Amino acid sequence: MAPFARGRRGTRGRGSGPSRGRGGNFSRGRGASRGKRPTFHSTRVEEPHAENSDQSQASDIEPPEAAEEDLDAESSGSDVEEPAGTIKPYNALLQSLNRESNIVQPPQKRRKFALDDALEPHPAIVKNEDVTVQSFQEDIDHVEEPEDGADLAPEDMDDAESFDDIENTSDPFEVHLAAVDEEALAGCIKDAAESKWLTQKLAFHPGWKALSISYQSNLLQSKGLISSSNRLNDLQLKQRLELTAGKLLQDLGDLNRHLAAYIFNYQDMLFCDRVPKVGQDLRNFMCLHALNHVFKTRDRVIKNNARLSKAEAADDVECRDQGFTRPKVLMLLPTRQACVKAIDTIVSLCEPEQQENKKRFQDSYMQPDDDFSEDKPEDFRKLFGGNDDDMFRLGMKFTRKTVKYFSQFYNSDIIFASPLGLRMAIGAEDAKKQDHDFLSSIEVVIVDQADALLMQNWEHVEYIFDHLNLQPKETHGCDFSRVRNWYLDGNSRYLRQTIVFTAFNTPELNKLYGHHMLNMAGRVKICREEYSGSMLELGTQIKQTFSRFESSQPVADPDARFKYFTTTIVPSLTKLSKTKTGTGHGVLIFTPSYMDFVRVRNFLANSNSTQNVSFGSISEYTPVRDVARARSHFFSGRHSVLLYTGRAHHFRRYHLRGVRSVMMYALPDNPIFYQEIAGGYLATSIGEGRVDPMEASVRSIFSKWDILKLERVVGSKRSSAMLKEKGGDTFDFL
């Protein structure tokens, strides 16, 4: 996979022209398509002789709501591919130039090609190619600004704020960053190399469980820790933040006060229950912590500048208070709208007198919320409302009275970015031509809505973490006499705090938790204490079957799953195909992974055993018209089977009709998907009288490596019994 591939596609236009939100082949929003992909032509219908009339017939039998949902997308014309001409574009261009070579014309201005005029797919940086810039019409986040050449710019030096709270030796900021015990740090590094961890369960808020992991030799665990408290004063906030924070966070609540203790103690945290109702509270805490860290860092540098200016030349004064570069906080967010919400919270907390480049920020990031229909779930509306562009990066700089948007990264205090946007900012695949020095001194990383980032391209997140806290290639005006020792020794990753908020836990997040969250202050994972199971919330009583297959190890799981599918599930599909044709069987095959989708699709198209099975497919890469056609054929019965991917559902939430049975090739990570697909689609068919409730069914296949998914779908108690059961591998629930 090319390193800048998004990992999902789909198109949904919104008017003509190059959009920055959803839609358009080159748009950068939800389900945007990065270049054209080869069309898959092996879909079978039950009337092969009528190929030439597919398009006209599809428009007659398409369900009304399908046409209404996609009407705005098709009207843009950006996703419709014109028939290829018989003359190659390059030859046509040469002929045109030859014909016009003798015509004398006045010089013309160079035309900037619009997105829809591009003849080539998006060349997002490819391995071994020297491509380091975007090929969009313009980069609205581009900044041309010289580096300040120091940790603080000259306009920062006249800050008259009181520094009385800096010398508080019980402040976790002082304990964790300024007064680092070198012996304790060396012990933690040794423990990390030898995998010596101290694991313990913590008393936490009812309904959640907390698992703490710390280094066995950590000598700082009992020093300077903030205990759970309902008072903001106990969080060791900067004086200028206490008043505004009191207005924004009037009541911490039981859950928030427990989380605040870990966040403001500079411990790593993976919180696995970020549901929409607690999203704003978590955002308030992460923005307050980020600002508090930036202000304390800045004030310490300013105070030491004053101390050094007053010191005599003979005095031996050492002030190690900086990193290699200025940026100290990195926030990874899924969309521009999420960035707007975070910045609005920060501005309400710091209340600056001036905001530089605010108009540019509003024009580039703010859009009115979408008027989604009421049947769209709350998590969908919260995530995709407003500007859902997932390619952005923004630096933010703080001075005494001013907040500056679009500051150059090396002049910024906080960097807001999506994984894709930051990956492109780093540059080419060639390590010699990359620029990631601005990540060398990051001390706080906040990943919000990590479950949404999993649906984009998680490889970008892993790539970013691999390039955090590395030794810089250039000095960038750094005063090495002020750099902290643990930066110079290359140990800053053991002092970095990482905070991850997600709606649910996954193996990818567990890997991030184990490999990149190495904070010497320890780390904690917070999850629900017990899941009741989304299978109980379908809204209708249908048969639900779960079939377990054996898989020796995670790397062998895809092959074992495919073998089980072709030997156990496919024969039942071929039996259905021998019944009366033309009526359709309404079998929806759900594949969370696009790679599994391709594998199953190719098997259905090329295998002799499935030659009588008519099927269609909808993935995140399927053009809008093909989606409408596939839905229409499935609803009318011309397709007996419809393949459907998890990312297509995540970005579109299609309401598919004609579903009579659901086959889950793998359980979805998001338990809401199981509820919507297994319950919502079948409930619609039952309500329309298309299928008898006794005939409607859901069948899911799983292995022991799907424990996290299974627990959220069937419940914590049932999942444990289903994995340990020796008497059989099939479990039926009614």
Side-chain angles (χ1 to χ4, degrees):
M1 179 185 295
F4 284 93
R6 291 203 179 196
R8 86 283 192 287
R9 297 293 193 275
T11 48
R12 181 175 176 183
R14 288 232 171 172
S16 60
S19 65
R20 295 193 184 277
R22 309 178 197 87
N25 283 341
F26 290 90
S27 68
R28 293 185 280 183
R30 170 164 55 93
S33 179
R34 295 275 185 182
K36 300 177 182 178
R37 300 176 61 86
T39 305
F40 187 81
H41 296 292
S42 299
T43 300
R44 295 197 186 95
V45 295
E46 292 194 359
E47 299 172 357
H49 61 279
E51 289 183 0
N52 297 332
S53 60
D54 275 356
Q55 186 170 352
S56 60
Q57 293 182 16
S59 61
D60 297 333
I61 60 180
E62 182 177 355
E65 73 278 10
E68 293 175 1
E69 287 184 12
D70 298 320
L71 182 60
D72 60 338
E74 293 184 17
S75 64
S76 68
S78 60
D79 356 359
V80 181
E81 298 184 8
E82 298 295 336
T86 57
I87 301 178
K88 295 183 178 180
Y90 181 71
N91 293 338
L93 177 62
L94 291 179
Q95 295 174 9
S96 175
L97 293 175
N98 290 333
R99 288 195 303 267
E100 299 177 4
S101 59
N102 297 326
I103 301 178
V104 178
Q105 295 181 351
Q108 298 181 355
K109 295 183 178 180
R110 181 178 300 176
R111 184 172 68 93
K112 293 184 178 180
F113 286 92
L115 299 183
D116 293 337
D117 296 334
L119 297 178
E120 297 181 359
H122 182 276
I125 301 179
V126 182
K127 292 184 178 180
N128 301 324
E129 290 189 4
D130 183 17
V131 184
T132 59
V133 295
Q134 301 167 243
S135 61
F136 294 106
Q137 184 175 4
E138 60 177 342
D139 180 6
I140 60 175
D141 293 335
H142 178 68
V143 176
E144 291 186 1
E145 177 182 279
E147 295 182 28
D148 288 340
D151 198 52
L152 290 177
E155 62 266 25
D156 298 313
M157 302 306 177
D158 59 348
D159 198 331
E161 183 180 358
S162 172
F163 303 106
D164 295 339
D165 53 346
I166 286 185
E167 299 299 336
N168 186 354
T169 57
S170 65
D171 187 349
F173 175 85
E174 294 291 313
V175 175
H176 186 68
L177 297 173
V180 176
D181 189 314
E182 298 293 338
E183 181 181 355
L185 178 58
C188 291
I189 296 174
K190 182 179 179 181
D191 287 349
E194 299 176 357
S195 299
K196 292 182 179 180
W197 310 102
L198 179 62
T199 304
Q200 56 182 337
K201 293 183 179 179
L202 303 177
F204 199 69
H205 183 67
W208 284 269
K209 58 183 179 181
L211 184 66
S212 174
I213 299 179
S214 57
Y215 294 99
Q216 292 184 1
S217 60
N218 187 4
L219 304 179
L220 298 177
Q221 197 166 4
S222 61
K223 294 175 57 179
L225 292 183
I226 298 173
S227 59
S228 299
S229 174
N230 290 321
R231 299 187 308 169
L232 285 173
N233 294 338
D234 296 333
L235 299 181
Q236 302 284 0
L237 298 176
K238 289 290 297 179
Q239 294 179 2
R240 61 183 296 188
L241 293 176
E242 289 181 356
L243 181 60
T244 55
K247 298 177 182 178
L248 193 65
L249 303 169
Q250 298 179 357
D251 182 16
L252 293 184
D254 291 337
L255 174 61
N256 294 334
R257 67 183 179 87
H258 283 90
L259 295 179
Y262 297 114
I263 293 174
F264 287 88
N265 280 330
Y266 283 89
Q267 293 176 284
D268 289 349
M269 184 177 68
L270 173 59
F271 182 72
C272 302
D273 196 24
R274 191 208 183 281
V275 293
K277 65 180 180 180
V278 301
Q280 185 58 47
D281 289 339
L282 296 178
R283 185 180 298 112
N284 292 341
F285 270 114
M286 74 179 190
C287 293
L288 178 61
H289 179 54
L291 267 183
N292 193 48
H293 181 79
V294 168
F295 287 168
K296 287 184 177 181
T297 301
R298 176 174 171 272
D299 290 350
R300 169 169 281 277
V301 172
I302 294 175
K303 180 180 180 180
N304 287 338
N305 287 343
R307 179 183 300 174
L308 290 173
S309 64
K310 296 178 182 179
E312 299 294 336
D315 295 342
D316 186 12
V317 179
E318 183 179 58
C319 297
R320 296 198 174 272
D321 52 11
Q322 302 180 14
F324 296 113
T325 55
R326 178 166 178 164
K328 292 297 181 287
V329 179
L330 171 64
M331 289 192 185
L332 293 179
L333 306 168
T335 64
R336 287 180 183 259
Q337 184 64 23
C339 181
V340 170
K341 293 178 180 179
I343 289 181
D344 285 347
T345 302
I346 286 178
V347 171
S348 65
L349 285 170
C350 66
E351 296 183 343
E353 296 182 10
Q354 300 177 0
Q355 299 182 50
E356 189 175 345
N357 295 332
K358 182 178 180 180
K359 180 64 167 59
R360 177 183 174 185
F361 173 73
Q362 292 175 334
D363 294 341
S364 304
Y365 281 74
M366 293 185 179
Q367 287 183 2
D369 288 341
D370 296 71
D371 187 16
F372 292 120
S373 58
E374 293 297 329
D375 54 2
K376 297 294 185 183
E378 183 182 9
D379 67 312
F380 181 88
R381 296 196 300 269
K382 291 288 187 181
L383 178 60
F384 295 116
N387 192 337
D388 62 5
D389 184 1
D390 63 1
M391 211 297 293
F392 66 92
R393 56 190 183 275
L394 174 69
M396 197 171 195
K397 175 182 177 180
F398 297 86
T399 59
R400 181 164 59 94
K401 298 180 180 180
T402 305
V403 168
K404 181 178 181 180
Y405 305 90
F406 296 99
S407 59
Q408 206 252 31
F409 275 179
Y410 290 99
N411 301 336
S412 303
D413 296 296
I414 303 178
I415 296 176
F416 304 86
S418 65
L420 176 62
L422 195 58
R423 175 66 180 89
M424 296 189 72
I426 292 175
E429 195 67 18
D430 186 355
K432 296 181 179 179
K433 300 178 181 179
Q434 293 175 348
D435 180 15
H436 48 74
D437 288 353
F438 57 86
L439 300 176
S440 63
S441 301
I442 296 294
E443 296 174 349
V444 177
V445 177
I446 300 174
V447 182
D448 194 21
Q449 294 178 279
D451 52 299
L453 301 184
L454 285 165
M455 285 293 177
Q456 295 179 5
N457 192 330
W458 190 251
E459 290 182 5
H460 298 332
V461 178
E462 294 177 336
Y463 187 90
I464 291 168
F465 271 89
D466 288 338
H467 289 78
L468 284 173
N469 302 116
L470 300 180
Q471 297 293 90
K473 300 176 182 178
E474 300 179 7
T475 60
H476 301 283
C478 174
D479 181 0
F480 288 94
S481 66
R482 303 281 296 272
V483 177
R484 292 187 170 107
N485 290 328
W486 41 270
Y487 273 116
L488 298 174
D489 296 337
N491 296 326
S492 56
R493 60 175 179 156
Y494 296 101
L495 280 301
R496 184 190 71 228
Q497 182 188 28
T498 304
I499 303 172
V500 180
F501 298 122
T502 177
F504 45 80
N505 195 12
T506 67
E508 293 86 352
L509 293 174
N510 277 335
K511 179 182 177 182
L512 181 72
Y513 180 76
H515 291 186
H516 293 287
M517 300 171 76
L518 303 175
N519 193 341
M520 66 178 298
R523 61 181 187 262
V524 61
K525 181 191 299 183
I526 303 171
C527 304
R528 286 192 195 179
E529 189 171 8
E530 185 176 293
Y531 288 91
S532 60
S534 60
M535 63 178 291
L536 303 179
E537 304 173 2
L538 299 189
T540 184
Q541 187 173 357
I542 57 177
K543 181 181 179 181
Q544 302 179 62
T545 302
F546 296 86
S547 300
R548 187 185 68 207
F549 66 92
E550 298 300 323
S551 176
S552 58
Q553 51 187 344
V555 294
D557 191 78
D559 291 335
R561 188 182 303 271
F562 182 72
K563 181 179 179 181
Y564 185 88
F565 173 79
T566 56
T567 57
T568 305
I569 306 300
V570 170
S572 63
L573 297 178
T574 57
K575 289 180 181 179
L576 287 175
S577 65
K578 297 179 181 179
T579 61
K580 182 179 179 180
T581 60
T583 59
H585 309 298
V587 179
L588 178 69
I589 300 180
F590 177 78
T591 56
S593 167
Y594 181 77
M595 301 304 295
D596 289 334
F597 165 82
V598 172
R599 194 173 190 179
V600 172
R601 183 192 64 182
N602 291 345
F603 177 83
L604 294 179
N606 302 321
S607 175
N608 293 331
S609 61
T610 59
Q611 59 184 352
N612 295 323
V613 177
S614 59
F615 73 98
S617 61
I618 297 176
S619 73
E620 56 268 35
Y621 299 102
T622 306
V624 175
R625 287 190 173 181
D626 291 347
V627 169
R629 185 178 297 111
R631 295 175 64 184
S632 175
H633 287 345
F634 183 69
F635 176 72
S636 66
R638 296 182 68 188
H639 286 162
S640 298
V641 176
L642 179 64
L643 301 181
Y644 189 43
T645 65
R647 281 175 174 163
H649 189 72
H650 170 77
F651 289 106
R652 299 301 171 188
R653 302 294 174 94
Y654 291 119
H655 295 282
L656 303 179
R657 295 178 60 191
V659 179
R660 302 184 181 186
S661 64
V662 176
M663 195 276 137
M664 294 268 181
Y665 186 84
L667 292 170
D669 284 314
N670 192 340
I672 298 177
F673 289 7
Y674 184 90
Q675 180 181 345
E676 294 173 346
I677 295 173
Y681 294 168
L682 289 176
T684 300
S685 298
I686 293 173
E688 294 175 348
R690 292 183 171 274
V691 61
D692 188 271
M694 300 302 295
E695 296 179 357
S697 63
V698 181
R699 184 171 184 179
S700 307
I701 60 178
F702 69 95
S703 71
K704 62 182 179 181
W705 309 113
D706 296 326
I707 176 61
L708 296 176
K709 304 176 183 179
L710 187 66
E711 180 185 22
R712 293 189 286 266
V713 172
V714 304
S716 302
K717 296 180 179 179
R718 299 184 191 90
S719 63
S720 178
M722 291 166 66
L723 292 174
K724 297 177 181 178
E725 178 63 41
K726 302 295 183 181
D729 57 6
T730 301
F731 308 88
D732 293 327
F733 299 92
L734 295 176

